[in-house]
Amino acid sequence: MAGEKVLIVEDSLEILSFLADDVLPYHGYQVATATTGEEGRDKLSSEDPDLLLLDLELPDMSGMDILKAAQEDESDIPIILMTAYGSESIAVEAFRLGARDYIIKPFTTEQVIGVLERTLTETRLRREKAELTVSLQRSVEQMTILSAVGKSVVSLMDIEELLSRIVEAGVYVTKAEEGFLLLVDPESNDLYLRAGKNLGSEQTQGFRLKVEDSLAGQVVQAGTPVRRGGKGTGRDFEVKTGYLVKSLLHVPLLLREEVIGVLSLDNQVSDVEFTEEDQYLLSTLADYAAISIENATLYEELRQKMQDLERSQQELIESSKLAAVGTLAAGVAHEFNNLLAAISGHTELGLISDDMDEIKRSLQVVIDTVDRAKKITQNLLTLARRREPRMETMQVSEAVENPLQLIERDLQQSNIELVRRYSEVPLVVCDSGQIAQVSLNLLTNARDAMLPDGGTLTVEIRQDEDDVLVSFSDTGTGIPDNILDELFQPFVTTKGPLGGGEMAGSGLGLSVSYGIVKNHGGTIEVETELNKGSTFTIRLPISDAGPL
Ligand code: ADP
């Protein structure tokens, strides 16, 4: 392949003419000539040749001097020496000084063209290799950045940071002066700034573009990239009113074929043009941005759903709690009546008595009865109160006693004997309100299973390896096989309809209890035998705070 420029430095006009007028142009080379060393050195810089054909013996200096000078200048122009027959010995020195080859005069056309081709091909290959290495290095760098951004897309949850990184990567890989990401506002259909790199504050403030009258808007409407400007265009482009740039690149952000925004780069100062490759890179980054935005939206929706779910679970717990507390209402009201009767009886007794001791005794009974009533109200309030879940390290018996004291009188009246078997056990970490709620559910179930004949309800607290166990045993009906499998499922109840179609049981007690105990890292188990009774056992892990 010819076309390259060869500088011939030769004082023999005969050889010069042979090469410059004849051989070289015929083979497609451009030619520059010099007849002295001085002229040769000047043209070496002014003509910018691709190869130097250098005579060894020049009138004003030796070709070796030019070689030396070229070596000192670190010139990479290949030099071929032309030597007379017999001076080959000098070739060794010439090679040392960087000459690529030499030809011995007189030479034929084939010889000179042969050596020129060989040398230029070698140089060409070396140059191409160097260029390839640079472009390969650049590609590797670009790929590394793209892959790093790609990884962030799947690992980074913070959408703000992600989008900033994407814009930053775009600016970095394309060497643009600034970059920004605009999203379509679905309400107004305007484009608004979501992330930017190197934007001045005056540009960031109120950065909104109308889709109808901006280049970015065109990208939204057409769904294809826009690349403008660069050297030679000699004009500025308006990104927005009063904001002019020399070159720009806009690519669309596509999400399932819908354009949701634009990723943009521009140069305000430099007029370097954005390339096809820049466009490809930016489009890849735009895809990443679109995926990130979708991920963030889905994540937000999921978070919202989780919150709703948590809220409805909490509401379920609340309503089942109220249902359970409701079952106590009759018993509590009955007991209050008894307490009031006791109070009024003893007050009357005191009023009609003249005996100071008897009056005092009556007043003491009134005070004790009022204390009992207070305790009941406190227990009831503690149990029914709506409050945030709160874990504390405590004795589990405190939580169990709360509903037990409320139901105690009810049990007596139902002919149920209550037996407490409490061993000394280590502390547990629990939410006392919730464990009280579980206990209330299990106590009322045990009571119901023994109605109307009565029986024995045993509440036992003991330790088993790393757990504290609380069990509620009754001597009631037992649980039939057909509901045993789904006992802890919601809305399973055998407590049939009350008058008016309302159910006596909600079927929520055991499922809510199961959820609560599971949240405590514990379990709830049942053993049952028909017509003999059932035992429900809660197992809670011992607190790390150590033994009692
Ligand atoms: P509810 O008490 O509102 O029916 P639960 O989820 O607390 O809801 O209980 C579900 C069902 O399990 C009860 O209806 C009852 O049939 C059965 N059950 C629960 N505990 C006992 C028990 N100790 N003895 C017999 N059956 C029980």
Side-chain angles (χ1 to χ4, degrees):
M1 190 192 79
E4 284 107 333
K5 190 192 265 186
V6 178
L7 172 62
I8 310 165
V9 186
E10 170 62 78
D11 61 334
S12 154
L13 295 180
E14 200 183 325
I15 296 178
L16 201 59
S17 154
F18 167 67
L19 291 172
D21 301 336
D22 203 358
V23 179
L24 266 57
Y26 179 77
H27 284 88
Y29 292 102
Q30 299 176 57
V31 180
T33 60
T35 51
T36 64
E38 190 66 42
E39 192 189 359
R41 278 168 65 167
D42 286 349
K43 290 209 171 162
L44 201 54
S45 52
S46 66
E47 290 285 345
D48 194 20
D50 297 297
L51 185 140
L52 176 59
L53 209 48
L54 179 63
D55 185 15
L56 186 62
E57 279 159 36
L58 293 165
D60 53 342
M61 62 178 81
S62 155
M64 298 300 271
D65 297 329
I66 298 185
L67 264 180
K68 257 183 230 153
Q71 197 184 40
E72 272 159 25
D73 292 349
E74 291 179 8
S75 155
D76 65 349
I77 299 171
I79 301 175
I80 295 167
L81 273 186
M82 296 180 284
T83 65
Y85 184 74
S87 57
E88 299 96 319
S89 57
I90 210 142
V92 177
E93 175 66 0
F95 279 126
R96 203 179 57 75
L97 289 172
R100 286 293 161 74
D101 215 334
Y102 70 96
I103 41 177
I104 297 166
K105 297 179 195 169
F107 41 73
T108 62
T109 303
E110 289 73 34
Q111 280 172 329
V112 72
I113 292 302
V115 80
L116 280 183
E117 275 299 318
R118 203 169 48 242
T119 311
L120 281 171
T121 307
E122 199 182 288
T123 312
R124 223 178 283 134
L125 286 176
R126 194 173 311 132
R127 206 168 282 155
E128 275 170 11
K129 190 177 151 211
E131 278 169 11
L132 220 62
T133 310
V134 170
S135 101
L136 209 65
Q137 270 168 351
R138 197 168 141 65
S139 299
V140 168
E141 191 195 40
Q142 288 169 345
M143 288 306 136
T144 313
I145 290 171
L146 283 186
S147 114
V149 175
K151 273 189 206 139
S152 309
V153 169
V154 286
S155 62
L156 248 186
M157 267 308 157
D158 182 349
I159 182 75
E160 299 300 326
E161 196 184 332
L162 242 171
L163 296 180
S164 297
R165 272 201 205 176
I166 287 172
V167 176
E168 205 171 316
V171 167
Y172 183 78
V173 289
T174 61
K175 315 236 175 323
E177 286 167 24
E178 54 189 27
F180 49 92
L181 190 145
L182 304 169
L183 288 186
V184 179
D185 178 346
E187 310 240 306
S188 64
N189 210 27
D190 285 352
L191 282 160
Y192 66 95
L193 184 73
R194 188 64 208 270
K197 173 77 184 163
N198 298 344
L199 291 182
S201 60
E202 67 277 14
Q203 272 124 37
T204 354
Q205 272 158 22
F207 200 120
R208 278 187 98 84
L209 296 176
K210 287 255 165 274
V211 166
E212 309 81 56
D213 52 31
S214 64
L215 272 176
Q218 276 181 26
V219 175
V220 174
Q221 280 170 336
T224 47
V226 164
R227 193 147 49 96
R228 292 286 148 83
K231 271 195 192 91
T233 36
R235 51 174 289 217
D236 290 340
F237 299 89
E238 198 168 62
V239 174
K240 66 178 286 199
T241 315
Y243 179 18
L244 298 174
V245 297
K246 294 233 159 35
S247 53
L248 60 80
L249 173 59
H250 290 316
V251 299
L253 249 68
L254 289 161
L255 192 60
R256 286 187 228 100
E257 293 175 17
E258 191 196 339
V259 184
I260 58 161
V262 179
L263 184 56
S264 302
L265 297 172
D266 64 53
N267 290 315
Q268 277 192 292
V269 181
S270 142
D271 60 359
V272 172
E273 187 180 358
F274 289 103
T275 61
E276 188 88 23
E277 195 188 344
D278 292 337
Q279 186 175 314
Y280 170 76
L281 283 168
L282 203 63
S283 300
T284 308
L285 287 170
D287 288 345
Y288 284 155
I291 295 169
S292 311
I293 290 167
E294 183 172 41
N295 278 352
T297 317
L298 290 176
Y299 179 73
E300 183 50 35
E301 274 172 19
L302 205 65
R303 205 181 56 84
Q304 199 67 45
K305 289 218 170 89
M306 289 294 286
Q307 252 179 14
D308 291 350
L309 201 67
E310 254 166 45
R311 199 172 310 123
S312 49
Q313 254 173 1
Q314 203 53 43
E315 274 163 14
L316 198 63
I317 291 181
E318 273 314 309
S319 65
S320 89
K321 183 169 77 184
L322 292 181
V325 171
T327 67
L328 289 176
V332 170
H334 191 77
E335 185 169 5
F336 257 82
N337 259 340
N338 289 345
L339 296 176
L340 287 175
I343 291 168
S344 81
H346 281 278
T347 317
E348 271 171 26
L349 217 63
L351 279 177
I352 53 169
S353 173
D354 293 330
D355 180 351
M356 213 39 175
D357 286 343
E358 202 176 338
I359 293 174
K360 277 190 173 172
R361 264 199 307 280
S362 290
L363 283 178
Q364 191 56 52
V365 174
V366 170
I367 287 175
D368 291 347
T369 317
V370 168
D371 278 349
R372 165 94 189 125
K374 257 201 220 155
K375 217 166 173 188
I376 291 173
T377 355
Q378 260 167 14
N379 277 332
L380 203 58
L381 283 178
T382 313
L383 204 59
R385 195 172 51 211
R386 190 185 189 116
R387 62 176 185 84
E388 290 299 307
R390 193 180 58 226
M391 297 302 260
E392 50 198 327
T393 307
M394 59 182 293
Q395 275 295 338
V396 75
S397 56
E398 283 177 38
V400 176
E401 273 301 311
N402 173 306
L404 203 48
Q405 286 174 12
L406 282 173
I407 207 172
E408 209 167 349
R409 193 58 63 99
D410 192 0
L411 296 177
Q412 271 173 22
Q413 250 131 32
S414 307
N415 212 12
I416 295 171
E417 187 194 355
L418 176 65
V419 179
R420 287 182 176 87
R421 250 185 236 147
Y422 293 178
S423 308
E424 275 203 357
V425 290
L427 301 174
V428 292
V429 178
C430 73
D431 180 316
S432 67
Q434 290 191 345
I435 296 301
Q437 186 183 344
V438 173
S439 306
L440 176 62
N441 287 336
L442 300 179
L443 285 166
T444 47
N445 278 346
R447 177 200 61 191
D448 294 349
M450 292 185 279
L451 292 178
D453 301 337
T456 307
L457 199 168
T458 310
V459 182
E460 187 175 356
I461 298 178
R462 64 191 165 92
Q463 181 179 355
D464 178 31
E465 294 181 355
D466 293 337
D467 297 318
V468 168
L469 269 48
V470 186
S471 53
F472 301 84
S473 307
D474 63 64
T475 53
T477 55
I479 303 166
D481 278 351
N482 63 334
I483 67 159
L484 203 53
D485 287 345
E486 49 182 19
L487 197 61
F488 293 98
Q489 301 289 327
F491 310 114
V492 172
T493 182
T494 53
K495 295 174 190 165
L498 295 168
E502 204 186 324
M503 296 297 278
S506 66
L508 286 174
L510 286 180
S511 74
V512 167
S513 300
Y514 180 87
I516 290 176
V517 175
K518 200 162 164 246
N519 271 346
H520 279 72
T523 56
I524 178 165
E525 284 153 22
V526 59
E527 284 167 63
T528 185
E529 200 176 331
L530 275 184
N531 303 321
K532 285 266 166 67
S534 314
T535 298
F536 283 81
T537 305
I538 310 169
R539 195 177 264 275
L540 294 173
I542 291 170
S543 145
D544 289 340
L548 180 71

